[in-house]
Amino acid sequence: MLHLALIIDRLAEEPESREAGQALFDHFCQDMDYNLREMGIGDLSVPKEMQRIGQAFYGRAQAYRSALSVDGEAALVEALTRNVYAGSPPTPEAPGHLAAYVREAVRDVRAQRVGDLLAGKLNLPKP
């Protein structure tokens, strides 16, 4: 969800790529629906699970967007600790390392031409 949020935010920056951002999110939802069904979630439960997944995505995307708009790392580290590590990172340093990666990923994605992103060419930093 983290990478998806970063890419969708980048595509939303340009009017000509906003539709592609929506199409990417729609594809994500279709894939999640398919995977839920493959895991044996019943037809009556899939819509409820998809609503939960959609709320989780939008909540996380907003948390990351807000944290990235603030100077310093504290807000981003807190958002990542809560949303990626469910409050229990494997090491105390892990959220800080992930925050540095996220900042670098945002810089890299913003530096890429939208045309390249639309062509499926995505460059992310090495984790």
Side-chain angles (χ1 to χ4, degrees):
M1 286 191 184
L2 173 63
H3 288 100
L4 179 63
L6 299 178
I7 302 306
I8 288 176
D9 281 354
R10 172 64 177 106
L11 293 173
E13 291 175 0
E14 309 285 336
E16 70 271 12
S17 61
R18 287 188 185 131
E19 272 187 45
Q22 183 61 53
L24 178 60
F25 181 73
D26 292 346
H27 182 75
F28 165 76
C29 290
Q30 291 167 351
D31 188 60
M32 291 301 296
D33 183 285
Y34 173 79
N35 281 293
L36 289 171
R37 292 173 192 281
E38 283 293 306
M39 292 185 322
I41 305 295
D43 287 344
L44 295 176
S45 297
V46 169
K48 186 189 316 184
E49 287 299 312
M50 287 303 300
Q51 182 178 9
R52 186 184 62 75
I53 290 168
Q55 289 171 341
F57 172 79
Y58 284 115
R60 284 172 172 86
Q62 182 57 44
Y64 301 143
R65 200 175 296 122
S66 294
L68 286 163
S69 71
V70 176
D71 289 334
E73 295 302 311
L76 185 55
V77 166
E78 180 183 326
L80 293 169
T81 298
R82 185 176 60 251
N83 293 303
V84 174
Y85 300 110
S88 299
T91 66
E93 303 83 20
H97 291 304
L98 184 55
Y101 166 82
V102 168
R103 292 266 186 207
E104 188 176 351
V106 168
R107 280 191 299 274
D108 287 359
V109 169
R110 284 188 178 150
Q112 292 174 50
R113 293 177 340 115
V114 168
D116 288 340
L117 294 173
L118 295 176
K121 298 175 186 171
L122 175 63
N123 295 313
L124 292 169
K126 298 218 183 292

